[in-house]
Amino acid sequence: MKLIDSLKSKSQLTVFIYAFLLNIIIGYIDYVTGYDIGISAFYLAPIGLVVWFMHSKKSAGIYMAIITSITITVSNLLAGQMIRYYAVELWNTIVHFAFFAISALLIYEVRSNMERREKLIRELQQALDEVKTLSGLLPMCSSCKKIRDDKGYWSQVEVYISAHSDAMVSHGLCPECARILYPEIYKKIKDKEK
């Protein structure tokens, strides 16, 4: 865990250098063990390191895939692998590159999806923290529309809503009430609208 936390705090260049050095170490082990023993899977470590900790740089994974493909070819040649056909060796290097590049892109996508998921969880948690909802059965007077709270006290609807949610209540008149309560003003407004 300390290593991972340490890598998170390093600059992207530092992470790339660490991955490059790890690639060289694996290449040396590949050279020492000889070309007959395949350790290609271990080369995914520096690629994963670069892609995971330099997640904003998809191209860094591709560069490391190129470096890794060359490292495998060079270590096998230094270990004594005979080249019968240069085209076959070139093909093998291209296949290694394709494998490592696809792996780098897949790791990048996993990392990106994890970041999007974590961001969405943070946003949802923040929204959930901010939401204050009314729920359950609200006893309301049929006549005056006051609401009874848990303690048995009756209060105006707007007071209850303001106290039990983050909603702000403003006042106005619906057209029906305006017509009944202020018929002269309502008639003037309707005449102007025509």
Side-chain angles (χ1 to χ4, degrees):
M1 283 309 268
K2 288 184 180 181
L3 178 64
I4 291 173
D5 291 335
S6 171
L7 286 171
K8 285 180 183 178
S9 65
K10 301 293 182 193
S11 71
Q12 291 187 350
L13 178 63
T14 304
V15 170
F16 192 85
I17 291 170
Y18 286 167
F20 181 79
L21 293 174
L22 180 60
N23 185 48
I24 297 300
I25 291 168
I26 294 170
Y28 179 74
I29 293 169
D30 197 7
Y31 160 72
V32 170
T33 58
Y35 62 89
D36 293 328
I37 299 174
I39 62 167
S40 299
F42 293 103
Y43 285 102
L44 286 174
I47 292 169
L49 183 72
V50 163
V51 174
W52 197 262
F53 292 102
M54 294 179 65
H55 51 273
S56 61
K57 302 281 187 183
K58 189 188 306 188
S59 59
I62 301 299
Y63 294 142
M64 188 53 67
I66 293 169
I67 293 168
T68 301
S69 302
I70 293 170
T71 303
I72 290 174
T73 302
V74 170
S75 66
N76 286 339
L77 291 175
L78 291 175
Q81 178 185 8
M82 299 297 294
I83 300 177
R84 293 187 186 139
Y85 303 103
Y86 288 103
V88 170
E89 193 58 40
L90 178 63
W91 173 257
N92 289 340
T93 303
I94 291 170
V95 168
H96 280 123
F97 167 72
F99 171 74
F100 292 131
I102 290 169
S103 298
L105 293 175
L106 289 174
I107 293 169
Y108 176 82
E109 286 303 316
V110 167
R111 177 68 174 171
S112 295
N113 286 335
M114 281 181 59
E115 285 180 341
R116 282 192 292 270
R117 181 176 167 263
E118 289 171 2
K119 180 182 177 192
L120 182 60
I121 288 171
R122 281 192 308 273
E123 288 173 355
L124 288 173
Q125 187 62 48
Q126 181 181 1
L128 190 59
D129 291 343
E130 292 174 2
V131 171
K132 193 175 174 184
T133 60
L134 294 173
S135 63
L137 188 62
L138 293 176
M140 180 182 275
C141 176
S142 303
S143 177
C144 69
K145 307 298 183 203
K146 287 184 180 177
I147 297 176
R148 187 181 72 220
D149 64 15
D150 297 337
K151 297 174 185 167
Y153 297 108
W154 292 89
S155 58
Q156 296 290 333
V157 172
E158 52 274 349
V159 172
Y160 187 87
I161 289 173
S162 295
H164 292 85
S165 74
D166 290 332
M168 299 296 293
V169 178
S170 68
H171 291 85
L173 285 175
C174 71
E176 284 183 38
C177 291
R179 185 176 50 80
I180 293 168
L181 295 172
Y182 305 102
E184 301 85 27
I185 297 173
Y186 180 79
K187 187 175 185 308
K188 286 180 185 178
I189 292 172
K190 283 300 179 184
D191 288 342
K192 283 184 183 178
E193 288 178 1
K194 291 181 184 180

